Amino acid sequence: MMTHAAYDCDVLVIGGGIVGLSTAYAITRTAPGTRVTVLEKEWGPARHQTGHNSGVIHSGIYYPPGSLKARYAVRGAAELVDFCAAHDIAHAVTGKLIVATGSDELPRLHALVQRGRAHGLPVRELGPAQITEYEPGVRGLAAIRVGTTGVCDFTAVAARFASEVSTAGGRIRYGAEVVAVDRRPWGVAVRTADGEVVRARVLVNCAGLHSDRVARLAGDDPGARIVPFRGEYYELTRPELVRGLVYPVPDPAFPFLGVHLTRGIDGTVHVGPNAVPAPAREGYTWTDVHPRELAATLAWPGSWRIARRHWRYGAGEVRRSLSKGAFTRAVQRLLPEVTEADLRPSPAGVRAQAVLRDGTLVDDFLIRDAPHTVHVLNAPSPAATASLPIGREVARRALLRARATGWTPPAVQSGHCV
Ligand SMILES: Cc1cc2nc3c(=O)[nH]c(=O)nc-3n(C[C@H](O)[C@H](O)[C@H](O)COP(=O)(O)OP(=O)(O)OC[C@H]3O[C@@H](n4cnc5c(N)ncnc54)[C@H](O)[C@@H]3O)c2cc1C
């Protein structure tokens, strides 16, 4: 048994995105005095998915009742709004429209109404005339308006989690890439690229696009591979064409929501993201190719099964990625007035999508425990919205595992309840 002093920290979190930082924040809140360290390979927080997304606080309407996504998004959206208000972070609850442009989409739109109401969300059905009252530039056969959707600055939220963790005595190290994990009977030791060794009772893996690799470094089989899907955006040069948030009816075969129109918290309107396979986990453009990562993606049987099953959809997405004209024509279904000249390329994001061996795209959040370890293996959208409840759940599991090493939370030691 190691002495308490021989551990560098109690809980070590890999990943300074919104999920890792929310986990560290939850630990400092629920078990004050716990020694928590976050290792992030970049030189600041939120440099990957958290800093490259649509900035939408999702209502939870899309997700099946009982799923973690539904539970955490509905609760997380409300908590996030309160968190932003309490910490003076830019946000707005604007509501959004989901618009059907083809008659084949109407049954799916209707099913969303039922689902939204089952989640207790304020959902209003709209006809074509009412759509134009909300969004004069948008055309559709029918739509629904969900009142609790909003926008915020997720980078600012993650940065605030980080500063709260530091204030509570936690340690956050940037520029610290974990390259080796050694699990022992007493806990876990990790080594960073610059040679630092950190010993912890429990390791929490929130490595996003690299979460499956970190799981394998720890000796665990994640059962799925992260297949990176880039989401490209354009910025609307005539932002006055869109007042708020406008989404198509999503294709239920995919966990992606389809190209939408998003007026962000800074007033700019983004159009996107699409979903194209990325030849690198951090491949933000077609020229970002990482041969080893590409080879690993291609070696995963699930990648080929997705390609076989969804080649038609995938080919359309690639065509719209390579041809601005094709992209514009797709957007014109929702916003007829838009032209190619109105769209200016804007930075892309890359989604970490876990894919099973049989080609199933893992839909729900996936959190797995292993000895001395908690892995977050799938945290796609709406994980930024749901970051507070996800962080609490991961923290709860990590603290349970820490207790198994003979540790008691400092507040318990000093007679306070945790
Ligand atoms: C295009 C796009 C649009 C989206 N839109 C929305 C939206 O509107 N609303 C919403 O709620 N969600 C949205 N999402 C999803 C949301 O952004 C993610 O679910 C969320 O940011 C995931 O956070 P994370 O902390 O798990 O991952 P990340 O933010 O990717 O963080 C993981 C971190 O781990 C670090 N890391 C990896 N490996 C190591 C290592 N070995 N050592 C040290 N550090 C390491 C990385 O550098 C990274 O900073 C979107 C995502 C994308 C890509």
Side-chain angles (χ1 to χ4, degrees):
M1 174 80 72
M2 292 241 292
T3 62
H4 185 66
Y7 292 101
D8 300 299
C9 60
D10 301 314
V11 181
L12 171 66
V13 179
I14 302 179
I18 202 163
V19 174
L21 291 168
S22 171
T23 299
Y25 171 69
I27 289 171
T28 60
R29 303 272 294 186
T30 55
T34 305
R35 295 171 308 162
V36 57
T37 294
V38 179
L39 297 181
E40 164 56 51
K41 67 183 170 66
E42 306 295 345
W43 291 100
R47 296 286 166 91
H48 290 290
Q49 295 176 92
T50 303
H52 293 87
N53 60 38
S54 300
V56 173
I57 305 175
H58 286 296
S59 63
I61 190 167
Y62 300 111
Y63 316 116
S67 62
L68 291 179
K69 275 189 176 178
R71 280 163 44 205
Y72 291 170
V74 173
R75 198 188 316 157
E79 289 183 15
L80 188 62
V81 169
D82 290 346
F83 183 89
C84 289
H87 293 277
D88 215 11
I89 295 171
H91 70 289
V93 179
T94 53
K96 84 167 178 187
L97 300 188
I98 305 176
V99 180
T101 51
S103 53
D104 55 321
E105 294 170 345
L106 294 175
R108 280 188 272 138
L109 187 69
H110 191 65
L112 281 179
V113 176
Q114 308 299 326
R115 189 169 275 183
R117 292 195 175 136
H119 291 328
L121 299 173
V123 179
R124 202 179 145 211
E125 294 178 77
L126 310 176
Q130 291 159 310
I131 295 174
T132 47
E133 276 169 30
Y134 281 106
E135 289 286 352
V138 171
R139 294 288 172 275
L141 298 178
I144 57 178
R145 183 167 190 281
V146 193
T148 48
T149 308
V151 285
C152 77
D153 178 349
F154 285 123
T155 300
V157 173
R160 172 55 70 151
F161 288 152
S163 68
E164 293 286 315
V165 169
S166 302
T167 305
R171 175 174 173 245
I172 301 182
R173 244 207 87 197
Y174 296 112
E177 179 178 7
V178 172
V179 293
V181 179
D182 185 10
R183 192 159 40 196
R184 298 291 179 87
W186 45 261
V188 180
V190 308
R191 186 164 41 80
T192 62
D194 60 6
E196 187 188 7
V197 173
V198 184
R199 281 166 293 261
R201 295 174 185 278
V202 178
L203 172 72
V204 176
N205 165 13
C206 297
L209 286 153
H210 300 276
S211 55
D212 57 340
R213 292 165 71 179
V214 169
R216 286 199 305 279
L217 282 183
D220 294 320
D221 174 7
R225 286 288 186 282
I226 292 296
V227 174
F229 283 93
R230 188 170 56 249
E232 296 155 328
Y233 292 92
Y234 285 96
E235 187 184 328
L236 207 54
T237 56
R238 285 196 290 156
E240 64 277 10
L241 289 181
V242 177
R243 288 181 178 170
L245 308 178
V246 183
Y247 281 65
V249 179
D251 183 335
F254 299 97
F256 314 128
L257 299 179
V259 165
H260 39 267
L261 310 163
T262 312
R263 177 175 284 273
I265 195 66
D266 60 357
T268 57
V269 175
H270 282 93
V271 187
N274 57 4
V276 292
R281 291 185 185 229
E282 292 166 9
Y284 292 97
T285 67
W286 280 114
T287 53
D288 289 339
V289 180
H290 191 301
R292 217 150 27 111
E293 291 180 356
L294 180 59
T297 300
L298 295 177
W300 182 240
S303 306
W304 292 99
R305 294 197 171 110
I306 304 177
R308 265 201 299 278
R309 219 171 284 159
H310 301 299
W311 66 268
R312 198 185 295 274
Y313 178 92
E317 287 290 87
V318 171
R319 186 164 49 86
R320 287 184 287 274
S321 166
L322 298 174
S323 157
K324 192 178 178 189
F327 188 96
T328 310
R329 281 192 293 284
V331 180
Q332 282 167 341
R333 281 174 68 90
L334 277 175
L335 191 65
E337 219 188 295
V338 77
T339 65
E340 273 190 55
D342 297 326
L343 299 176
R344 177 168 54 213
S346 182
V350 183
R351 305 172 182 86
Q353 176 60 53
V355 175
L356 303 182
R357 184 174 281 277
D358 69 1
T360 305
L361 300 163
V362 178
D363 192 42
D364 210 356
F365 300 140
L366 183 61
I367 307 168
R368 283 275 176 276
D369 293 21
H372 301 299
T373 317
V374 182
H375 299 291
V376 179
L377 297 170
N378 197 49
S381 184
T385 299
S387 52
L388 282 159
I390 294 178
R392 276 200 306 276
E393 171 59 14
V394 179
R396 185 187 68 76
R397 292 176 184 228
L399 292 171
L400 267 179
R401 299 232 151 237
R403 279 175 182 256
T405 64
W407 171 85
T408 34
V412 170
Q413 288 167 16
S414 61
H416 294 93
C417 265
V418 222

